[in-house]
Amino acid sequence: MDLTEPYDAAIIGAGPAGLFCAACAAATGARVLLLEKNADPGAKLLISGSGQCNITHTGEIRDFPSHYGGHGKFLKPAFLSFTNENLKDFFRERGLPVTGDENGKLFPATRQSADVLNVLLRECRKNNVDLRCGEPVTGVMRKPGEFLLTTPSAAYRSTALVIATGGASYQKTGSTGDGYRFAGSLGQPVTAIAPALTPLLIRPFPFAALMGISFENARFSVWRAERKIADYRGDVLFTHLGLSGPGILDASRDILPGDVVRLSFAGAMTREEFAADLSRRVQGNRSWQVGTILAGYPIPERLNRKLLALSEIPDDLKCDHFSAAQRSRLVANCTEFPLAVEALGTFSVAMATRGGVALDGVNPKTMESKLVPGLYFAGEVLDIDGDTGGYNLQAAFSTGFLAAKSIVKSVKNG
Ligand SMILES: Cc1cc2nc3c(=O)[nH]c(=O)nc-3n(C[C@H](O)[C@H](O)[C@H](O)COP(=O)(O)OP(=O)(O)OC[C@H]3O[C@@H](n4cnc5c(N)ncnc54)[C@H](O)[C@@H]3O)c2cc1C
């Protein structure tokens, strides 16, 4: 038992939110304990961005809140206290420049998430963070003026407590949802959780043989009980079981089993524009095969053939004999192909968690609980899930920074 002097802050979870919060709080001399259940820290950070770690986005920081499905307003003070530019500077000043890709995603110049983790660990070491790995926190208790944390081998006291245990997806990385239990046991409201940034299982899925084909900035809409709930634009990928790709992953937070995704293969054209354009091409080339006309659109050839078959149009049908019913089926299939969502990918494949520590119970200007003084939250344990593109890591860094800043202020005030 280590029940001597209490730490100024104990942080549960050495992911990006916990590591950054610990490094920033300790930089001012605060005594910080960081407890990690895994033998090594940052397991999810290491696999982020397929190991390349898309740490943030080049966009304007004031546009960031629109990337969290209606929950981004809560993050505004955190983003303003630590912006994407601050994040770039932080890594650059520590020898790891950041570079962007054509979609505005920012990565470490080395494209190695291990380099990002190493900078964070070096910073923790330099600032004397007491990082203890292989120590799963099993319980937290509030005592007058302090918190008591227990692990299988020890107990610790601290004045402030930060829960930075992440979400509940990719559980093999250590994020098993413990933080929700800790928050709940301290009286903090937690909302229902579900997988986010997750692929869709489509059944029946007529394009399984075309897995790997992707569509840049495709139009699609989501329908529930025959009513459209939203329109989207984004990159879509055929998998062997259904749909994935950044556009689908981002939309998945709004999608439920039983919904229908209507996907367009006609690029920027609407259904009406495509119908008019197809008519024009058919009128002007009456002796051509319909398949040849379709090949004039930027639709992959294998998909063209499939769309003709699904529209009950023989391969060798000439435009002369192209009936109104066939044309209407083809237009519908090319612009609003209906794909029924049987299920969403589970927590084992979801890249983020929807739901978590309820935002109305947390002060957005400090990350401190409105109900339990001295209790703070950072990162994905909050009811925050960002779009693909670096938005989840920026949220982890910004909320970690703001929690650290608030803790340091309250330590100084005494
Ligand atoms: C495959 C994949 C790729 C991703 N790619 C990107 C990307 O490129 N860009 C991006 O912005 N986001 C990406 N994300 C999301 C991003 O990685 C997470 O949002 C981010 O890691 C959350 O940080 P966090 O610190 O809040 O939680 P985590 O990174 O989940 O860290 C939480 C830590 O808490 C520890 N912990 C949990 N319970 C306990 C306990 N009881 N005691 C002690 N320790 C505990 C865990 O072991 C873990 O180390 C990706 C996610 C996945 C799964």
Side-chain angles (χ1 to χ4, degrees):
M1 289 250 197
D2 185 359
L3 289 173
T4 49
E5 252 314 79
Y7 288 89
D8 292 324
I11 300 170
I12 314 178
L19 285 163
F20 196 54
C21 183
C24 294
T28 64
R31 289 187 65 231
V32 178
L33 170 70
L34 176 56
L35 293 171
E36 167 56 48
K37 67 153 69 146
N38 289 335
D40 295 300
K44 193 172 276 179
L45 183 66
L46 286 174
I47 59 167
S48 287
S50 306
Q52 300 191 11
C53 204
N54 171 203
I55 55 170
T56 187
H57 199 273
T58 46
E60 286 288 326
I61 199 71
R62 64 171 177 273
D63 296 334
F64 270 53
S66 65
H67 291 274
Y68 299 82
H71 293 200
K73 191 167 162 248
F74 172 87
L75 291 169
K76 265 189 189 167
F79 287 149
L80 292 179
S81 74
F82 192 77
T83 66
N84 49 348
E85 289 300 320
N86 297 144
L87 188 63
K88 278 161 71 177
D89 290 345
F90 173 84
F91 284 104
R92 188 176 39 77
E93 284 160 12
R94 284 153 186 83
L96 186 58
V98 166
T99 58
D101 74 2
E102 67 284 2
N103 298 314
K105 294 178 173 185
L106 287 171
F107 298 84
T110 57
R111 298 265 176 170
Q112 294 289 328
S113 50
D115 294 335
V116 172
L117 179 60
N118 282 336
V119 169
L120 295 173
L121 288 174
R122 262 203 319 271
E123 203 64 13
C124 283
R125 263 195 307 276
K126 187 181 97 195
N127 298 338
N128 298 317
V129 171
D130 189 356
L131 168 60
R132 302 192 183 198
C133 291
E135 275 219 57
V137 174
T138 49
V140 294
M141 263 201 307
R142 175 102 181 111
K143 299 270 184 193
E146 64 181 25
F147 293 89
L148 184 67
L149 287 83
T150 46
T151 74
S153 56
Y156 302 96
R157 293 162 56 210
S158 76
T159 310
L161 171 64
V162 185
I163 301 184
T165 44
S169 79
Y170 271 75
Q171 300 210 344
K172 57 182 186 300
T173 63
S175 356
T176 48
D178 298 6
Y180 309 132
R181 187 164 52 78
F182 300 148
S185 75
L186 293 167
Q188 192 71 26
V190 176
T191 67
I193 57 162
L197 294 186
T198 198
L200 305 178
L201 174 68
I202 303 291
R203 201 168 292 170
F205 186 53
F207 304 117
L210 304 181
M211 68 179 273
I213 290 187
S214 60
F215 309 92
E216 215 173 285
N217 208 16
R219 283 176 182 270
F220 60 98
S221 53
V222 174
W223 295 67
R224 188 166 301 154
E226 318 239 313
R227 289 187 48 198
K228 181 155 77 171
I229 58 163
D231 283 307
Y232 301 86
R233 292 292 297 267
D235 296 354
V236 174
L237 170 74
F238 281 162
T239 69
H240 64 302
L241 294 174
L243 301 178
S244 189
I248 292 292
L249 297 176
D250 290 348
S252 67
R253 68 163 74 85
D254 305 327
I255 299 176
L256 295 173
D259 288 352
V260 172
V261 173
R262 292 186 174 272
L263 177 61
S264 171
F265 305 113
M269 276 188 271
T270 62
R271 179 177 179 144
E272 293 68 33
E273 286 164 349
F274 181 77
D277 191 74
L278 183 71
S279 263
R280 233 182 350 262
R281 293 187 193 206
V282 166
Q283 294 306 331
N285 302 284
R286 309 272 331 158
S287 61
W288 288 20
Q289 289 181 353
V290 176
T292 310
I293 297 284
L294 202 55
Y297 293 99
I299 302 175
E301 197 213 328
R302 285 188 301 152
L303 177 60
N304 267 348
R305 271 186 267 129
K306 186 73 186 174
L307 287 169
L308 285 174
L310 289 166
S311 308
E312 298 166 49
I313 298 170
D315 278 350
D316 57 356
L317 184 77
K318 295 257 174 68
C319 289
D320 259 346
H321 298 98
F322 192 22
S323 73
Q326 284 168 323
R327 192 176 306 190
S328 142
R329 282 199 298 271
L330 185 62
V331 167
N333 283 338
C334 286
T335 56
E336 293 189 336
F337 198 97
L339 295 160
V341 179
E342 176 161 287
L344 279 84
T346 62
F347 279 121
S348 61
V349 292
M351 282 159 62
T353 299
R354 175 155 61 97
V357 171
L359 301 182
D360 55 6
V362 180
N363 181 344
K365 294 189 174 137
T366 58
M367 294 296 134
E368 187 176 15
S369 161
K370 289 180 183 169
L371 307 158
V372 186
L375 175 63
Y376 296 79
F377 299 94
E380 210 186 304
V381 71
L382 288 158
D383 180 5
I384 289 289
D385 57 283
D387 289 346
T388 54
Y391 295 100
N392 283 299
L393 286 174
Q394 179 70 49
F397 288 119
S398 292
T399 54
F401 177 85
L402 187 52
K405 191 173 150 195
S406 317
I407 289 167
V408 166
K409 204 165 157 196
S410 79
V411 167
K412 278 191 184 143
N413 292 340

